[in-house]
Amino acid sequence: MSSKDGFRATFGYEPTGTWVAPGRVNLIGEHTDYNEGFVLPFAIDRSTTVALSSRGDSLVRVASAFADELVELPLAELAPDRLAGWSAYPLGVAWALGEHGADLSALPGVDLYIESTVPVGAGLSSSAAIESAVAVALDETWELGLDRRALARVGQLAENKAVGAPTGIMDQSASLLGLEDHGVFLDCRSLESQVVELGFRAAGLEVLVIDTKVSHSHATGGYAARRASCEAGARILEVSALRDVTVDDLARAQRLLDDETFRRVRHVVTENQRVLDTVAVLRSEGPLAIGELLDASHTSMRDDFEISVPELDLAVVTARENGAIGARMTGGGFGGAAIALAPREAIEQIAAAVRAAFASRDYAEPATFTVTAADGAHRLR
Ligand code: GLA
């Protein structure tokens, strides 16, 4: 059911508008965003749509295709500790807009209905897609005039405070700034961004997503622990963020840090450099030449940052053995998806080989599908 049909069925009248925001694949630059470093994600052709209409009172009501309940609250009563479950994403965005200057006690309430084709828990930022779709919908409806950087901050604030996941700014930025066939090269310190042509189609390449079905959550456990290690490393190295440490500083870092913290730091420092190198290589030689950088990124996450799982490693190795020019896990890790960049004609064989490899180890059957780089959030009608 489209979000418009869902809206009509739930609320019994027509929405005034429909907005869409995509999920993302991160091409390279993992766990660099909250270290104020560089990332190169792209928005994908899987997205969340939000149908919305203003109300005559100050109530906000949200419904979605992924839950039966209708959740409602007066706008002025929105607060992180009153939000839970799936509705914390859209309602968290409305609250976060208030933190960014919207006067929630004076604005009209809204009805909104959410529907999504971004798989949940696959590491493709289904949550940022919801946040970005709701953010652009409310920004336009309430005539707030916030730019895309501010809306990315709004989505991140909702994720951090209303959902409770201590994540960075990458996912919302990709969803808001994406462009067809382009990556979003983002400096997570200044939030300056450039779109970089990927040229996959012209080079005969496709991106295969391998969703391991190993579910992960960034509101608990490993993600926060990695973030804490990075912050500890930065403190000992006396920099405000690991962005300020370069590959040349690593020998000194190794003398000052314990082994585990050093390896966490080395991942972030080398990953930042790999993002810069990937952008340079895409511009000078094109996408056929970035495979080694993708592979090195995965190795660094597996061995130094230790956020991979056996299913992701198997997907990556199998993809490479069957014709991928590069492969790596994507997203926060501890489960979720891997991506393989491969010639179009090798995609089916890679997918079949990964499924067979998973079956032979009694792993759950992975989902495999291709994605293309798509436009960021916008109004549909
Ligand atoms: C998750 C977070 C992002 C980023 C990645 C790792 O997707 O939401 O902010 O930290 O993990 O690169």
Side-chain angles (χ1 to χ4, degrees):
M1 184 155 53
S2 75
S3 61
K4 202 174 171 191
D5 293 342
F7 185 99
R8 212 183 286 119
T10 307
F11 300 116
Y13 67 101
E14 290 291 316
T16 46
T18 305
W19 287 260
V20 61
R24 64 99 188 90
V25 152
N26 189 14
L27 186 61
I28 196 159
E30 224 66 85
H31 287 260
T32 46
D33 60 353
Y34 57 78
N35 289 299
E36 300 184 11
F38 304 104
V39 292
L40 184 61
F42 59 89
I44 58 174
D45 52 341
R46 298 264 183 145
S47 54
T48 294
T49 51
V50 170
L52 180 148
S53 206
S54 282
R55 294 174 54 84
D57 58 16
S58 62
L59 214 53
V60 47
R61 300 196 295 174
V62 292
S64 75
F66 23 86
D68 283 336
E69 54 174 356
L70 175 73
V71 180
E72 59 175 70
L73 268 179
L75 269 179
E77 286 178 28
L78 292 173
D81 59 5
R82 297 204 55 188
L83 307 177
W86 70 272
S87 64
Y89 295 91
L91 295 176
V93 168
W95 165 79
L97 285 166
E99 299 298 294
H100 279 254
D103 183 359
L104 296 184
S105 62
L107 286 163
V110 289
D111 284 337
L112 55 90
Y113 187 92
I114 301 167
E115 171 276 331
S116 186
T117 59
V118 188
V120 173
L124 301 181
S125 294
S126 54
S127 46
I130 299 175
E131 289 151 4
S132 301
V134 173
V136 290
L138 289 177
D139 177 68
E140 190 174 330
T141 303
W142 286 342
E143 298 179 354
L144 301 174
L146 295 172
D147 66 16
R148 298 266 157 153
R149 281 189 226 180
L151 293 177
R153 287 273 185 234
V154 164
Q156 185 193 14
L157 186 63
E159 182 88 30
N160 292 169
K161 300 289 187 223
V163 179
T167 49
I169 192 80
M170 168 171 72
D171 306 341
Q172 294 80 7
S173 301
S175 183
L176 286 159
L177 298 167
L179 181 67
E180 186 177 2
D181 199 31
H182 287 70
V184 178
F185 173 37
L186 177 72
D187 178 334
C188 299
R189 173 167 277 170
S190 65
L191 292 195
E192 272 165 29
S193 65
Q194 293 170 35
V195 288
V196 178
E197 192 174 353
L198 297 172
F200 293 162
R201 195 176 315 140
L205 296 173
E206 289 209 71
V207 176
L208 179 70
V209 172
I210 303 156
D211 174 4
T212 63
K213 299 286 176 75
V214 178
S215 73
H216 66 289
S217 158
H218 298 325
T220 51
Y223 187 95
R226 294 302 179 280
R227 192 168 176 157
S229 290
C230 292
E231 283 161 9
R235 249 190 330 272
I236 296 167
L237 297 173
E238 298 181 320
V239 290
S240 68
L242 291 183
R243 151 69 174 275
D244 298 314
V245 182
T246 67
V247 172
D248 290 340
D249 299 327
L250 282 174
R252 175 174 166 269
Q254 189 161 24
R255 288 195 297 275
L256 294 173
L257 301 172
D258 66 81
D259 175 61
E260 185 181 286
T261 310
F262 171 66
R263 286 184 295 112
R264 305 296 187 247
V265 168
R266 181 166 61 187
H267 164 71
V268 172
V269 171
T270 57
E271 185 78 351
N272 270 329
Q273 188 58 49
R274 280 187 289 271
V275 175
L276 299 176
D277 292 348
T278 302
V279 170
V281 170
L282 279 170
R283 285 177 172 154
S284 60
E285 295 168 63
L288 288 163
I290 66 170
E292 277 178 27
L293 289 158
L294 303 184
D295 291 350
S297 172
H298 185 78
T299 304
S300 177
M301 288 188 282
R302 185 192 63 202
D303 299 343
D304 273 357
F305 218 57
E306 296 182 281
I307 55 171
S308 190
V309 294
E311 287 85 347
L312 287 167
D313 294 337
L314 182 65
V316 162
V317 166
T318 309
R320 281 188 210 137
E321 285 170 358
N322 286 275
I325 66 164
R328 60 187 287 278
M329 54 149 278
T330 187
F334 306 102
I339 52 166
L341 181 64
R344 192 170 301 128
E345 54 281 4
I347 292 287
E348 257 178 46
Q349 185 189 329
I350 293 170
V354 169
R355 272 195 299 275
F358 273 48
S360 75
R361 301 224 187 159
D362 279 337
Y363 292 165
E365 190 180 355
T368 54
F369 50 92
T370 57
V371 290
T372 56
D375 285 340
H378 56 277
R379 185 172 184 155
L380 277 182
R381 59 180 91 83

